[in-house]
């Protein structure tokens, strides 16, 4: 039987600090301790070559049950729809108008952080309502 592996979610982005800050606030993640031998992350970043400074950020789940999130600078921009996206589970167990109200409230909070509301996908025969959004660099995600 294969063993379960831990995963990390990695975002390729133009501005890692900006995207990382959005997702930290959106999900309630926190900054991990700096690497051994460094008092702060800024100290660790200063030893990197000038072109690599500020090129990566990471956040961890304060409870330790969710995947680590990593944000890295890449030279190419986003050009097409994501092949993978996050579902931020906001309305779990709720249905109808109550669910939509909770999704819309969370949407308003995330828009204040820089996200963009794309569209509401109303409930159908198979799925409850969800809200399609984009983060600060246009990466799609859903409030579910």
């Amino acid at each position: 039987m294969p063993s379960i592996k831990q995963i990390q979610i990695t975002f390729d982005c133009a501005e890692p600090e900006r995207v990382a800050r959005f997702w930290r606030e959106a999900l309630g993640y926190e900054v991990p301790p700096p690497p051994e031998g460094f008092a702060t992350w800024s100290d660790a970043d200063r030893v990197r070559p000038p072109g690599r400074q500020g090129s990566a950020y990471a956040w961890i789940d304060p409870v330790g049950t969710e995947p680590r999130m990593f944000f890295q600078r890449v030279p190419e921009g986003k050009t097409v729809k994501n092949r993978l996206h996050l579902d931020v589970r906001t309305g779990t167990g709720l249905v109808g108008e109550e669910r939509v109200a909770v999704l819309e409230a969370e949407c308003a909070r995330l828009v204040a952080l820089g996200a963009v509301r794309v569209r509401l996908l109303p409930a159908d025969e198979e799925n409850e309502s969800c809200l399609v959004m984009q983060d600060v660099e246009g990466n799609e995600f859903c409030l579910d």
Side-chain angles (χ1 to χ4, degrees):
M1 181 170 169
S3 64
I4 303 294
K5 306 290 187 222
Q6 288 186 334
I7 65 166
Q8 168 175 284
I9 298 170
T10 300
F11 284 75
D12 290 347
C13 40
E15 298 179 65
E17 182 177 15
R18 181 173 175 240
V19 177
R21 189 178 329 112
F22 169 80
W23 283 106
R24 182 177 56 105
E25 291 293 325
L27 300 177
Y29 273 47
E30 57 188 38
V31 179
E36 191 172 320
F38 294 97
T40 68
W41 278 101
S42 294
D43 292 343
D45 198 45
R46 278 193 282 279
V47 301
R48 302 181 81 182
R52 300 283 300 153
Q53 291 176 358
S55 66
Y57 291 83
W59 303 137
I60 57 171
D61 166 28
V63 179
T65 58
E66 302 300 327
R68 178 179 188 251
M69 298 186 81
F70 185 74
F71 307 85
Q72 63 186 1
R73 183 182 311 137
V74 296
E76 66 279 354
K78 181 180 178 321
T79 58
V80 297
K81 184 179 185 312
N82 302 4
R83 295 282 297 179
L84 175 108
H85 70 267
L86 300 181
D87 284 344
V88 179
R89 308 297 308 275
T90 304
T92 304
L94 302 176
V95 297
E97 291 178 19
E98 182 182 17
R99 180 182 177 89
V100 172
V102 167
L103 296 177
E104 292 289 1
E106 181 65 1
C107 174
R109 184 182 80 83
L110 297 177
V111 165
L113 296 174
V116 174
R117 183 187 196 280
V118 176
R119 70 183 172 281
L120 175 69
L121 299 176
D124 58 26
E125 304 80 40
E126 296 178 29
N127 301 297
E128 287 297 329
S129 298
C130 73
L131 248 166
V132 180
M133 300 190 70
Q134 293 178 339
D135 73 9
V136 295
E137 279 199 2
N139 300 301
E140 296 89 3
F141 67 97
C142 292
L143 293 181
D144 182 12

